Amino acid sequence: SIWSIVCQIVCALRHLHLQNLACRVLAPSKILVQGRSRVRISCAGMLDLVSPPTQDFMTLCQEDLIALGRLVLQLCCRDLAAASRENLPRSMEFVEAQYSAEMKQLVWQLLSAGNKQVTILDISMFVSGHMMSELQGTYEAYDELEGQAASEVENGRLTRILVKLSFVVQHPMFGQFESSEAPYLLKLTWDYIFHQMDEEGCPVVEYAHVVDSLNKLDMGVDEQVMLVSSDGADLLCVSWRDLKDCLEKAAHELLEASADSQNAYVQTPVQPNQDQLAQMQPVSYTHLTLPTKRIV
């Protein structure tokens, strides 16, 4: 909304003026809209480098407020020529007919800032009610982003523990770890999380059970869990903390075993010199024959 744009620009001008700086480039071509409603000012203070000001600082601040008044009037009328001298009376009539009295008063105060010695602090007090609405919207956006970030962190944590468990349980080296109890316990844990069966022997697909179990495994809680083998011959009662220790040991041994692998890292290819290239004989694939066997 227009009030949201006004509040954001007023905050930007207040920050500049309190730092003894003037914007001097407040125009529609210098307003950047990011996302849905975030407003930024481009090239703020750039004229101080290109053409140093000759007026005093108070005059520059009042010119910023007058430029803001023109910008608000152009936004209300949706016409760049609305702030011109010849169109100003008709534009103000349009604002009075289409917008609230508070908007009309704001435009008048901004356009007459040079005569009434209005400062950015006065404008900030005038729009303070709308500032509270903007602050509430900011808090709501922050809560939404925080919730999304928490969900991403939670998903990433469960993904890491799931990948680690899959590497250990599904790897061909499973069962060759030094910790003799780790393979069997982790296999039963995998079955407990993903291979649940009901009383009639039908598979149970319950996402809540998987997420809850992975959370307990990742945190290593002291809660006891009952692990049953697929044939029902073994029944073990262990804690999630012990299962996490077994998983960490097995994953560490798997990482140590993969440290010497050629695929553990990307090697930099060595470029052969000219002598080596001269000694290399090209391979002719026409000389390669494969044994064939006729099937009758």
Side-chain angles (χ1 to χ4, degrees), residues 3-19:
W3 280 114
S4 176
I5 297 175
V6 170
C7 290
Q8 295 182 59
I9 296 179
V10 167
C11 288
L13 291 180
R14 182 178 181 273
H15 176 75
L16 288 174
H17 291 182
L18 291 180
Q19 301 297 324

Side-chain angles (χ1 to χ4, degrees), residues 30-167:
K30 299 300 186 294
I31 302 300
L32 305 179
V33 180
Q34 181 182 10
R36 293 178 297 179
S37 59
R38 190 67 175 98
V39 177
R40 304 182 186 276
I41 302 177
S42 175
C43 303
M46 185 65 68
L47 288 181
D48 291 344
L49 300 176
V50 178
S51 59
T54 57
Q55 303 95 335
D56 60 302
F57 175 69
M58 183 59 65
T59 303
L60 295 177
C61 292
Q62 292 174 355
E63 290 180 355
D64 285 345
L65 297 182
I66 296 174
L68 176 59
R70 295 196 187 99
L71 178 63
V72 175
L73 191 59
Q74 291 168 344
L75 288 175
C76 292
C77 299
R78 298 183 179 181
D79 186 4
L80 294 178
S84 60
R85 184 180 298 273
E86 57 274 10
N87 295 330
L88 184 59
R90 186 172 53 185
S91 300
M92 292 304 301
E93 292 178 359
F94 178 82
V95 173
E96 184 178 4
Q98 298 294 329
Y99 295 91
S100 63
E102 188 179 12
M103 179 65 74
K104 177 184 176 182
Q105 186 178 359
L106 173 65
V107 174
W108 271 123
Q109 283 197 10
L110 291 173
L111 292 178
S112 60
N115 300 328
K116 298 182 178 180
Q117 301 297 321
V118 178
T119 65
I120 190 62
L121 297 180
D122 299 327
I123 302 300
S124 300
M125 291 293 296
F126 185 84
V127 300
S128 59
H130 297 278
M131 288 286 190
M132 298 302 296
S133 301
E134 285 296 305
L135 183 61
Q136 180 64 28
T138 302
Y139 285 151
E140 292 176 356
Y142 172 79
D143 292 338
E144 181 181 358
L145 292 176
E146 187 179 26
Q148 294 178 359
S151 300
E152 292 298 328
V153 171
E154 185 72 12
N155 294 337
R157 186 172 59 86
L158 294 182
T159 301
R160 285 191 296 271
I161 192 68
L162 179 59
V163 170
K164 185 183 296 185
L165 184 62
S166 301
F167 263 122

